[in-house]
Amino acid sequence: MSSLFEPVQAGALQLANRIVMAPLTRNRAPQGIVRDITVTYYVQRASAGLLISEGAAISPQGVGYADVPGLYESPQLDGWRRVTDAVHRAGGKIVCQLWHVGRVSHTDLQPGCAAPVAPSAITAQTRTVLIKDGAPVFAPTSVPRALTAAELPGIVHDFAAAARNAVHAAGFDGVEIHGANGYLLDQFLKTGANQRTDDYGGAIPNRARLLLEVARAVVDAVGPGRCGVRLSPVTPANDIVDANPQPLFDFVARQLAQLDLAYLHTVEGSTGGPRALPERPFDYEAMRKAYREAGGKGAWMLNNGYDRALAEAALAQGADLISFGRPFISNPDLVRRLRENAPLNPGDSKTFYGGGEKGYTDYPALP
Ligand code: 8OZ
């Protein structure tokens, strides 16, 4: 009987338990550089079997929100090195989430105030976060321009370079490719954002091509068993939709099974919202079977709205790891609280994005 509190192997990563801190955007990295408070924040949470960092931009073009960290300049990597060293001293493991937002950006955040890039020139009906006078301000995303096919090898290159930086310069144990929540790779996957007529649009293998090229390049860059992939088959986050997600994600899972991944990380339902959407049915069990039947050996990680009972039920049904997002914001000692069935601190959504220590490093652990 697998338990949340028992060790598990995820590819090359030996994890002390099955509780994972999900990636959480916190907007506290001015100039893309994490500061001392971010070292404290991750160390406080290092009893998780695995920490997944907040999304880190792979390139200036990949930035979609104010004050998110980057992975492409040496001061950014030096900042991350202080985080990974401290987490390792505390006995934890940490991977870095590789993020390109695609069309979910704003001209104010793009190099030269250029238009954000996307598979097709279709604006996402969503908002991004700018910071004005230290306070988060929501702004509608800008009209994107379609990437040319000639630019796509550069995107693959940027993911691989950022992955190499994360592991070889910044000291992360591995990386997670952000293929979820309506960002660039999810935009390519799904019909609502991808209306291309070249080899990267249309049929499922075409829409999956960029994600799979990125995954192959990143696995090559970091070595076997050190790359995870995050997917969200039906989330409406950031105005994303696919006409027929089941065959799309069964295909993606079978293709990813051929790579030596650490794990596959799936968001069930609406990210940060309902776990099931009546208007967007999806069989996650079928996707897991597709992955296993195709020989996939990575750990199977699930996310969204879990508590201890639901997590244990998911492990009993074949999941290997469960990631917790918001509960980790307000409970640095979430592992202990789950183990002891202790009450959880409530989180304050006003301090999720931007600001300093308040709502970041000041949530109390149990005495
Ligand atoms: C909330 C606010 C900003 C970004 C995601 C990276 O949804 C995010 C994100 C979430 O994956």
Side-chain angles (χ1 to χ4, degrees):
M1 208 14 218
S2 55
S3 147
L4 262 183
F5 309 99
E6 281 171 10
V8 64
Q9 190 78 25
L13 310 176
Q14 174 67 50
L15 310 181
N17 59 62
R18 293 151 185 274
I19 297 168
V20 176
M21 179 174 164
L24 293 158
T25 291
R26 304 305 307 275
N27 308 80
R28 284 163 168 90
Q31 287 89 47
I33 303 168
V34 296
R35 311 291 157 146
D36 288 344
I37 53 169
T38 297
V39 178
T40 304
Y41 165 75
Y42 284 108
V43 167
Q44 286 174 337
R45 289 156 181 77
S47 58
L50 181 66
L51 304 172
I52 305 172
S53 81
E54 62 209 276
I58 61 161
S59 63
Q61 185 193 72
V63 175
Y65 300 82
D67 294 353
V68 299
L71 270 175
Y72 49 87
E73 284 173 358
S74 35
Q76 300 168 345
L77 303 177
D78 295 343
W80 278 125
R81 170 60 86 168
R82 307 212 337 282
V83 171
T84 62
D85 281 347
V87 165
H88 291 148
R89 276 196 300 276
K93 295 268 163 70
I94 183 165
V95 297
C96 191
Q97 198 194 44
L98 308 179
W99 194 20
H100 190 309
V101 296
R103 66 180 185 165
V104 184
S105 187
H106 192 279
T107 50
D108 279 9
L109 299 166
Q110 288 291 307
C113 295
V117 299
S120 302
I122 306 167
T123 308
Q125 302 304 318
T126 186
R127 298 182 306 170
T128 179
V129 184
L130 309 176
I131 302 232
K132 296 241 150 74
D133 303 320
V137 177
F138 291 92
T141 50
S142 305
V143 179
R145 71 168 177 89
L147 285 159
T148 66
E151 289 176 283
L152 299 180
I155 302 269
V156 175
H157 172 272
D158 288 347
F159 268 99
R164 225 173 275 117
N165 285 344
V167 169
H168 300 301
F172 283 97
D173 297 292
V175 294
E176 175 179 285
I177 296 167
H178 197 339
N181 296 348
Y183 297 112
L184 182 69
L185 299 174
D186 202 25
Q187 290 158 30
F188 269 84
L189 287 174
K190 292 179 179 167
T191 54
N194 184 342
Q195 296 184 356
R196 299 177 73 93
T197 53
D198 62 5
D199 287 351
Y200 292 84
I204 284 174
N206 284 357
R207 281 183 277 126
R209 193 178 306 281
L210 185 63
L211 170 70
L212 296 172
E213 288 178 350
V214 165
R216 281 185 214 109
V218 169
V219 171
D220 274 353
V222 301
R226 295 196 177 274
C227 172
V229 177
R230 192 173 208 221
L231 300 170
S232 55
V234 299
T235 192
N238 293 312
D239 189 29
I240 199 74
V241 68
D242 188 72
N244 198 1
Q246 193 76 49
L248 170 62
F249 283 89
D250 292 352
F251 175 84
V252 167
R254 284 196 300 272
Q255 295 296 309
L256 290 175
Q258 281 148 49
L259 304 181
D260 200 342
L261 296 183
Y263 62 82
L264 235 165
H265 184 185
T266 302
V267 181
E268 298 160 287
S270 175
T271 314
R275 291 180 38 77
L277 301 171
E279 70 285 13
R280 297 188 185 200
F282 192 84
D283 184 347
Y284 298 93
E285 206 37 37
M287 182 182 166
R288 183 173 65 84
K289 290 205 178 100
Y291 181 66
R292 292 290 179 229
E293 281 167 19
K297 302 273 190 300
W300 192 257
M301 187 191 302
L302 295 175
N303 169 259
N304 200 16
Y306 277 89
D307 60 15
R308 177 174 168 167
L310 206 54
E312 284 179 335
L315 293 185
Q317 282 163 34
D320 303 301
L321 295 165
I322 304 295
S323 73
F324 295 78
R326 275 176 300 196
F328 257 117
I329 291 182
S330 51
N331 297 277
D333 54 348
L334 183 66
V335 174
R336 177 176 169 199
R337 288 175 193 251
L338 292 176
R339 193 191 305 112
E340 297 179 5
N341 291 309
L344 301 187
N345 299 317
D348 173 10
S349 62
K350 291 194 296 299
T351 51
F352 282 178
Y353 310 115
E357 295 178 11
K358 189 168 172 329
Y360 194 48
T361 51
D362 63 351
Y363 285 106
L366 292 173

